[in-house]
Amino acid sequence: MKAKGVITLSILLWSTVSVFAQNEEDALRYGRQLTPSSGRSWGMGGAMGALGADLSSFFTNPAGIGMYKRGNAEMSLGLTDVRSNAAYMGQQSTDFSTRLELNSFGIVGGQKENDKGISFNFGVAHVKSNQFAERVRIEGLTTNSSILDVFSGQAGSIQSDLLANELPFGAGAAYSVGAIKPSDDSLFYFPSAQGEVQQMKNIVRRGNTSITAFGLGMGIKDKLYLGLVINFHGSRFTQNSDHRETYQSDQAIQEFTYSDDLTSDGTGFSMRLGAILKPSKWLRVGAAIQTPTVITIREAWNVNTT
């Protein structure tokens, strides 16, 4: 991960902390979804839409559920290895996160083909469609910028007794610990520390998005297969961020830390229909359609300054 200038960018973003709405980070985080798959499907390059009888059928073409000839249980493990490299003020920082996880599992059961050539299978599958695990560390020594400069400009000419209500997640939080101070005429604010500053930012992200699918597949004379899947979507994301600045010993304050914690939970719903036709032994044709996903996300944000 290239993070040159990330601290400066983060400081600029903090100047808009009073705005509560979806932003580009939310869109990128929840909009990027990996196509759920099984080990067998990965080996086929994902070309399982018309083959069926695989866990991936729940998330590509549910008609494939009807192609199971007997009960089946599947699971797959995954190794997540995320590394970040940051360059800031000429200083290099590296952090990484490695973990072994259960990525997917499912079970399918059903009844044998009856005298009319019709069979039914049903099952449930659960997969993780995205991972948010990440650790980022950024640090450097500078005389050009400080988060206190941003908070001072953000406070403007607001009366000090109103800062906590007007800017509770930014300048108000900094003022409450003496990191910024008003001028004698109260027309502006200035940082309690200036000059050389050692900056360090740590970001830890955790969580994932997942899909739990309940499916029904139907086979008709081993020629036509139909399927329906109901998907329940879930998401869990946490981000813990600490921005710490250390100043020279002759300043009014020697250290300032701005910490913010974000917790997000979401639930959603979608449906998928599919069909597979076998006109001959060497040809299969598959098609599927999915409804839009409706998801509700709840977020909680907490800020702490010391």
Side-chain angles (χ1 to χ4, degrees):
M1 174 183 176
K2 297 297 184 182
K4 194 170 185 178
V6 170
I7 289 183
T8 303
L9 176 60
S10 299
I11 290 172
L12 293 175
L13 291 175
W14 279 334
S15 65
T16 61
V17 293
S18 59
V19 178
F20 297 93
Q22 282 187 319
N23 56 28
E24 69 280 1
E25 289 189 16
D26 293 321
L28 290 172
R29 182 184 306 129
Y30 301 114
R32 180 177 176 271
Q33 297 287 315
L34 303 176
T35 301
S37 188
S38 63
R40 178 186 174 201
S41 179
W42 281 113
M44 293 289 294
M48 297 289 292
L51 291 181
D54 184 74
L55 185 65
S56 62
S57 299
F58 284 85
F59 311 101
T60 53
N61 188 343
I65 301 172
M67 303 185 75
Y68 280 97
K69 299 303 181 182
R70 61 179 182 273
N72 190 69
E74 302 177 43
M75 63 175 290
S76 64
L77 300 175
L79 182 66
T80 302
D81 185 12
V82 180
R83 297 176 182 270
S84 64
N85 298 306
Y88 179 68
M89 294 299 174
Q91 185 167 337
Q92 301 287 331
S93 303
T94 302
D95 213 328
F96 62 92
S97 174
T98 303
R99 56 196 302 177
L100 180 66
E101 295 184 324
L102 177 62
N103 278 344
S104 64
F105 62 88
I107 185 169
V108 177
Q111 57 181 224
K112 295 182 179 180
E113 186 177 291
N114 60 23
D115 54 1
K116 295 182 180 180
I118 298 175
S119 62
F120 289 94
N121 291 328
F122 51 87
V124 59
H126 177 84
V127 297
K128 292 179 180 178
S129 53
N130 200 0
Q131 293 280 1
F132 300 134
E134 185 179 22
R135 296 174 63 94
V136 181
R137 180 184 177 90
I138 310 164
E139 57 184 324
L141 182 66
T142 179
T143 58
N144 299 322
S145 65
S146 168
I147 193 174
L148 302 186
D149 297 324
V150 176
F151 289 145
S152 298
Q154 188 184 69
S157 59
I158 300 175
Q159 296 182 22
S160 58
D161 58 344
L162 298 178
L163 272 181
N165 290 327
E166 295 287 336
L167 299 166
F169 301 111
Y175 176 77
S176 68
V177 295
I180 60 174
K181 296 180 179 180
S183 61
D184 293 337
D185 53 12
S186 298
L187 294 179
F188 64 91
Y189 288 78
F190 61 91
S192 296
Q194 297 179 340
E196 190 175 75
V197 52
Q198 177 70 37
Q199 297 173 320
M200 182 175 66
K201 186 176 182 70
N202 287 307
I203 304 172
V204 179
R205 301 185 178 103
R206 301 181 182 89
N208 60 73
T209 56
S210 62
I211 305 174
T212 302
F214 295 88
L216 175 66
M218 175 183 180
I220 304 175
K221 296 183 178 180
D222 199 28
K223 292 293 185 182
L224 176 64
Y225 295 88
L226 304 173
L228 167 67
V229 162
I230 299 176
N231 298 310
F232 294 93
H233 300 257
S235 69
R236 170 73 176 176
F237 174 75
T238 61
Q239 176 175 285
N240 306 110
S241 175
D242 293 305
H243 177 103
R244 178 178 298 174
E245 296 191 345
T246 304
Y247 313 101
Q248 296 172 333
S249 59
D250 59 347
Q251 300 293 311
I253 60 174
Q254 276 70 60
E255 189 174 272
F256 175 73
T257 301
Y258 181 95
S259 303
D260 64 281
D261 301 319
L262 172 64
T263 301
S264 173
D265 292 284
T267 55
F269 171 83
S270 68
M271 295 179 62
R272 183 181 291 107
L273 294 169
I276 295 176
L277 178 65
K278 295 172 59 178
S280 67
K281 291 184 178 180
W282 54 269
L283 178 63
R284 296 185 184 185
V285 180
I289 184 171
Q290 178 174 312
T291 66
T293 301
V294 178
I295 187 167
T296 301
I297 296 176
R298 299 164 294 277
E299 292 188 341
W301 190 32
N302 178 63
V303 167
N304 182 56
T305 53
T306 55

